[in-house]
Amino acid sequence: MSSVVYSHEFDMIRESWQRCYAQGFLPTDSVRGQLLSESQIISLQKDSRFLLEHAIPVFDSLYPLYKHAEYIAVLTDRHGTIIHTVSTPEFQELADSIYMLPGANWLENTMGTNAMGVTLLEKKPVLVYGEDHFYRTNHFLACAASPIFNSMGELLGAVNISCRIEQYTSSILPLVTMLADSLQNRLLLSEARQEHLLTLRHLEKLENEHPTPLLTLDSDQRIVRANRAAERIIGRDCLGKEFSIKDGYVMESISDHSQRLWRSITIRPRPASKQKHYVFDDIFGTCPTITRVKQLAIRAASMETPLLLSGESGTGKELFAQAIHSASTRNDQPFIAVNCSAIPEDLVESELFGYERGAFTGAKAEGSIGKFEAAHNGTLFLDEIGDMSLRAQAALLRAVQEKVITPVGSVKSKQVNVRIIAATHKHLPDEIRSKRFREDLYYRLKGIQLTLPPLRKRSDIGALATHLLHKLDASTSLSHEALAHLHQHSWPGNVRELNSILVQAAFLAEGGQIEPVHLQWEQDLPEGNTLSPQPSHRLSLEETEKETILRTLDSTRWNISRAAQLLQVSRNTLYRKLTEYGFHRQ
């Protein structure tokens, strides 16, 4: 199974839409998800016990890579019914609201075009991004799914990862296919042991390549085998030693032979008891530009003044916001993040200020508090503030300047005490001149302004890449040639893009040194071929921009909406650039 974007992906999505229309569905229809009863879910999970037994450790292996992200990982049976999910706390409530939870069916004839439904029908990995979803209510999602087969080639189910489109990175689809492959390896390994069809040497090879930490113990609890993932936890000289687990990890038996001559176990991190926010020590940088911004942010943390963080997407604005909160006197109070660009305009007031029960159709019976109230005495982080509508800006202005909110459906106002940190990738003075942003709100938010440098203007890309690889616990390093390629890239996605590329590169390098062939840029061709080496001379900013736009358009088959999303610009900006550079589809 290949971890690349399949060339027929867009055909699969188009055909899925055609089937949805043929069933009488409309994109504007309300999604009415149906759930099995609790007893039915328990019965279904019992029927899928063999699949679940092996899937849970594989899902747990996501934790080190994505513990700070907002996502949900989903396992379905072959009929499209969800039987297991793992979600970050920040994404859980949203996942429940869209029926992405055990007992819900996500086949095409229930949920329209979606990654799980399409991959189960086509039996191929697929990415369904934003407006690819048939129902508009799911356009905020980026979902990747891959099918799972048994040793006989029979479809067992699917693995899916979903996140907001703002959190999407190019590593999600390869990661999903890797998870499906890993799960299939576990199933094959289990079947082989039961049927005695494979030799011990082949079993050891499969276990050693397995991403989950695996140990084999003899009857005296001494280690007789350990794969690389386990050795990274307990040390490479572990063979023959009595097994004792380190603090902070738990073990789970996956095989216990009848004569107890040996057994296999998995090791996984204990779940954190409390969410921890980033601190300034988490912000790496040796470049004078980034260290200066860090120093200013440390000073700003001791103040109560509103703070505006500006910078391109992927430069670490939320990382700085959390670190400022952690260093402030409010660090024992809530830090609430709001992605302003992801809130539908008609839900802005209820999302920010909460609502009383019965305030509108679809509201929770008990009502709900808003983000301002949830952040009371703490910090409210308003991300992508420049993408708010003018109506939403007007509602926000009153709350910011008066520190008073009124929940939807209520006549009573509430006093709130929050420190506002706002962030944007846009140049707000330009937005004000274009009448897209309120000048009075701008000056309310711009108490202190910090601008984060784009990665292409930083002098520490190599050191940062090494630091990120160390955080990934990747036992690899960058060759001189790979490092040169990193310096030549224009980095439209900045640090987020760098981390995504390194995750994929470390996986492809398989423990060896990362070479240029392992670096797969966002604009790579759908077939997965790496681009030709970039010229040794540094391109001008205009040349870099032209090349980036063309590669992105080619990779999306000139889908303007998708290309604009990847380039982190509006459709209007992209159209203007196409006219300016005289680009036309071939």
Side-chain angles (χ1 to χ4, degrees), residues 59 103 159 164 357 359 463-464 515 523 533:
F59 274 39
V159 175
R164 297 178 188 270
R357 60 181 178 179
L464 178 58
E515 300 293 345
Q523 298 87 3

Side-chain angles (χ1 to χ4, degrees), residues 57-232:
V58 173
F59 274 39
D60 288 342
S61 68
L62 278 173
Y63 177 81
L65 291 179
Y66 288 90
K67 58 185 176 181
H68 298 301
E70 295 183 26
Y71 76 97
I72 184 170
V74 174
L75 177 70
T76 78
D77 66 6
R78 64 180 182 275
H79 303 298
T81 302
I82 295 176
I83 57 176
H84 183 65
T85 66
V86 174
S87 177
T88 54
E90 299 85 354
F91 201 79
Q92 186 64 61
E93 184 176 352
L94 179 58
D96 291 347
S97 70
I98 59 174
Y99 298 97
M100 200 171 285
L101 68 169
N105 188 277
W106 276 73
L107 284 182
E108 200 175 78
N109 57 14
T110 302
M111 289 293 187
T113 303
N114 70 88
M116 288 174 272
V118 173
T119 203
L120 287 170
L121 184 64
E122 300 286 350
K123 299 182 180 180
K124 296 177 181 178
V126 66
L127 170 69
V128 179
Y129 181 93
E131 296 177 0
D132 291 342
H133 290 88
F134 185 79
Y135 288 121
R136 289 182 182 176
T137 52
N138 290 335
H139 283 186
F140 71 96
L141 285 172
C143 305
S146 185
I148 307 162
F149 303 95
N150 64 14
S151 60
M152 304 297 293
E154 299 168 334
L155 182 67
L156 296 180
V159 175
N160 176 85
I161 291 181
S162 296
C163 63
R164 297 178 188 270
I165 56 177
E166 297 81 17
Q167 293 277 325
Y168 167 76
T169 68
S170 59
S171 66
I172 289 181
L173 184 58
L175 177 64
V176 164
T177 57
M178 182 182 71
L179 288 175
D181 286 344
S182 179
L183 178 51
Q184 288 179 181
N185 283 345
R186 289 183 65 93
L187 297 172
L188 284 171
L189 182 61
S190 178
E191 290 177 6
R193 283 172 172 164
Q194 293 171 7
E195 300 170 8
H196 301 283
L197 295 179
L198 297 178
T199 64
L200 180 62
R201 183 176 180 181
H202 187 59
L203 287 173
E204 289 175 342
K205 182 176 185 296
L206 280 175
E207 284 189 344
N208 202 45
E209 294 175 351
H210 203 288
T212 303
L214 293 172
L215 293 176
T216 300
L217 308 180
D218 63 16
S219 57
D220 295 324
Q221 302 298 300
R222 295 188 181 277
I223 301 170
V224 295
R225 290 211 308 268
N227 68 354
R228 292 191 187 97
E231 287 178 348
R232 284 198 292 270

Side-chain angles (χ1 to χ4, degrees), residues 313-346:
S313 294
T315 51
K317 295 186 287 295
E318 182 163 0
L319 173 59
F320 268 83
Q322 288 192 23
I324 290 167
H325 170 78
S326 298
S328 73
T329 57
R330 298 174 180 259
N331 58 16
D332 59 342
Q333 298 297 324
F335 175 91
I336 303 296
V338 182
N339 189 325
C340 299
S341 65
I343 305 175
E345 186 171 355
D346 55 345

Side-chain angles (χ1 to χ4, degrees), residues 217 359 485-486:
L217 308 180
H485 276 240
L486 294 184

Side-chain angles (χ1 to χ4, degrees), residues 5-11 525-527 550-560 562-563 585:
V5 178
Y6 283 73
S7 60
H8 299 301
E9 178 183 310
F10 291 98
D11 292 334
L525 296 176
E527 288 76 17
L550 273 179
R551 287 179 175 176
T552 304
L553 287 168
D554 287 342
S555 72
T556 62
R557 296 170 179 77
W558 283 72
N559 182 317
I560 299 298
R562 178 72 68 82
R585 186 170 187 174

Side-chain angles (χ1 to χ4, degrees), residues 372-373 376 402-406 413-418:
F372 269 82
E373 191 172 351
H376 184 58
E402 298 181 16
K403 297 185 177 180
V404 169
I405 61 169
T406 304
S413 297
K414 297 181 179 180
Q415 198 81 25
V416 288
N417 173 21
V418 297

